[in-house]
Amino acid sequence: VYDRFRGRVVWPIRDVTGQVLGFGARRLHEDDKGPKYLNTPETPIYRKSQVLYGIDLAKRDIARGEKRRVIVVEGYTDVMACHLAGLTTAVATCGTAFGAEHMKVLRRIMGDDAAAEIVFTFDPDAAGQKAAVRAFAETRTANAQSFVAVGPADLDPCDLRLARGDGAVRALMDTKVPMFE
């Protein structure tokens, strides 16, 4: 018997109220043969199709921001990088595609503001494009505009921040294009 998260950095996954539902972990060593990211297994309380990492921290700025914008990234460290760079409305799915349950969570916070934006930062590869198509189908249920932003040199927000700094992460929002394109 050994710890599921052995050799990993671990952080809590919280619901919109701040209650801990489970944990996410990233491997620390490249020689670790396990997955790069590892979550708590599905339970009656933790269902990754209904959880957005960082929503507890982002909800206030999403609901009250002068510009209602949600930034949906792919990983936990991407959320952290966005928040450190000043993009405090960033959230991430927990190892699953953005789906209808995620959209319900966002709609409760955003309301039906036609000027609201949902900006996805997907990888530019085939898997990222497929994820964007699925996400677009879900965002059509909201009265919000959906966009996609791809980092320069195919860098995700975390790698972009490490390579080029906070300003580059903030500038990522300037590259967004309507998702239907």
Side-chain angles (χ1 to χ4, degrees):
V1 178
Y2 63 90
D3 179 9
R4 174 179 181 83
F5 298 121
R6 176 184 64 193
R8 295 171 179 273
V9 62
V10 180
W11 46 82
I13 299 171
R14 296 182 171 99
D15 68 8
V16 71
T17 67
Q19 295 295 310
V20 175
L21 303 175
F23 296 91
R26 187 188 191 286
R27 70 176 178 217
L28 291 173
H29 309 289
E30 293 304 317
D31 61 346
D32 181 342
K33 300 300 181 207
K36 183 175 182 180
Y37 290 97
L38 185 63
N39 296 331
T40 294
E42 293 266 329
T43 69
I45 296 172
Y46 174 72
R47 286 186 237 135
K48 60 186 176 183
S49 65
Q50 298 175 348
V51 176
L52 290 166
Y53 176 76
I55 195 71
D56 59 314
L57 301 175
K59 70 181 177 185
R60 179 172 286 128
D61 289 344
I62 293 168
R64 297 184 189 164
E66 62 186 61
K67 184 171 193 172
R68 290 182 184 233
R69 175 188 289 162
V70 176
I71 303 164
V72 181
V73 297
E74 290 192 293
Y76 307 116
T77 56
D78 295 330
V79 171
M80 295 171 201
C82 286
H83 280 252
L84 288 169
L87 300 176
T88 58
T89 61
V91 297
T93 59
C94 294
T96 187
F98 185 85
E101 296 298 319
H102 296 123
M103 194 65 240
K104 285 180 189 177
V105 172
L106 291 181
R107 285 185 72 192
R108 281 195 297 265
I109 295 169
M110 293 172 50
D112 278 331
D113 183 353
E117 296 180 354
I118 303 172
V119 181
F120 294 91
T121 60
F122 293 117
D123 293 338
D125 60 10
Q129 290 176 6
K130 186 176 178 183
V133 169
R134 282 193 310 264
F136 180 61
E138 297 306 333
T139 60
R140 293 186 307 175
T141 64
N143 191 20
Q145 302 170 54
S146 55
F147 297 88
V148 122
V150 178
D154 302 337
L155 296 171
D156 64 26
C158 182
D159 292 336
L160 181 61
R161 183 173 184 270
L162 290 172
R164 301 185 186 175
D166 291 342
V169 176
R170 289 188 298 271
L172 181 60
M173 292 303 105
D174 297 335
T175 69
K176 71 181 190 282
V177 294
M179 193 173 281
F180 67 84
E181 288 182 22

